[in-house]
Amino acid sequence: MSPPRHPWVVGVDLGGSNLRVAVYRDLGAAAAAARTAGRALAQAPAAVIRRPVGSDRSVETIIERIAAAVRDVLAEVGASPVAVVPVGIGLAAMLADRRGTVASSPHLGWRDVAFGPALARRLGPARPVGVYNDVNAITYGEFGVGAGAGARDLLCVFVGTGIGGGLVVNGALAEGATACAGELGHVKVAWGDDAAPCNCGGRGCVEAYVGGAYVLARIRRELAGGARSLAVDLAGGDPAQVHPGHVDAAAAEGDPWALGLWTELAPLFAVALGNAITLLNPDRVVLGGGLLGRTPTLRDQALLALSLVTPPALLDPVSIVLAALGDDAGIVGAALLADAGVSLA
Ligand SMILES: [Zn+2]
């Protein structure tokens, strides 16, 4: 990571329903301190603005909303209008290049939009803009001031609704040719006609087995089909209310159906993760996301399986830890990336 650069830096999280804009003071110095300490030093922003994205998702409207929020949040802290303040934006999108051209963003309904260059023109030269894939921004946030602080080679894996991943190699975010590096969710763990179909259009992706939305659908399907489990009691007796946390608690109690499901899924996740570790040889792995956060039994089983599918020479040096920054990782990571001048539009 580069040394401290700018006294103020802005992070933007452009989600499906909310626009969050935060301004940080001396974030580069904070990241340097976290790296030296080798541990998370979560940073509170000096000011935050949260507004609805709104129903008009046209690129022109979104750019105006971001520009207004950036102006307002900087006015709140009294930053000079002419001082250079980098603006980093994380969004759930496939990018087409490293200048912020969006190939597709289902949340925003965008296809082939030159978002980064247009926003950079609107904000002007005192507000250099970087546009990042949301998982890459989260990864860099955890690397900078979170659970990855002090690592050199970092693999972050987030299992929420789907599965996302990001890589830091030799201290720099590895975005790949078109900023899609680290798409661990679409690594194949099965092949053939009976491999599970994935939202990406492929089959046999690890996400199609272990992604939260798929796990939940399978739980509901099997319980509706007559499977009996302690998880139903834990959910108050209604099979339609069972979520993965209930299944995890049931598995911890030795419930046969819950244990069977976890015993099937844990090795699939472990194979994808173990192959990534074998390819990348990271010194740290950060695990996060809504599903892994609430399923300690599944996590333990996956780590056990990981030890069976990963060569010791690669697994022994890895420290595997849980993400530290929660919902703030992406916004702080986007700010850090823009501060370091990574992939500016
Ligand atoms: Zn897929």
Side-chain angles (χ1 to χ4, degrees), residues 185-186 198 200 205:
H186 306 289
C198 177
C200 73
C205 305

Coordinates of all heavy atoms in Angstrom, one line a residue, residues 185-186 198 200 205, ligand 1:
G185 N -16.9 -17.6 -6.6 CA -18.2 -18.2 -6.6 C -18.4 -19.0 -7.9 O -19.2 -20.0 -7.9
H186 N -17.7 -18.7 -9.0 CA -18.0 -19.4 -10.2 C -16.9 -20.4 -10.6 O -16.8 -20.9 -11.7 CB -18.3 -18.4 -11.3 CG -19.4 -17.5 -10.9 ND1 -20.8 -18.0 -10.8 CD2 -19.4 -16.3 -10.4 CE1 -21.5 -17.0 -10.3 NE2 -20.7 -16.0 -10.1
C198 N -26.4 -22.4 -12.1 CA -26.0 -21.2 -11.4 C -26.6 -20.0 -12.1 O -26.8 -20.0 -13.3 CB -24.5 -21.1 -11.4 SG -23.8 -19.6 -10.6
C200 N -25.2 -17.4 -13.0 CA -24.3 -16.9 -14.0 C -24.6 -17.5 -15.4 O -24.0 -17.0 -16.4 CB -22.9 -17.1 -13.6 SG -22.3 -18.8 -13.7
C205 N -21.1 -24.4 -10.4 CA -20.3 -23.4 -9.7 C -20.5 -23.6 -8.2 O -21.6 -24.1 -7.7 CB -20.8 -22.0 -10.0 SG -20.9 -21.6 -11.7
Ligands
ZN1 ZN -21.8 -19.4 -11.6

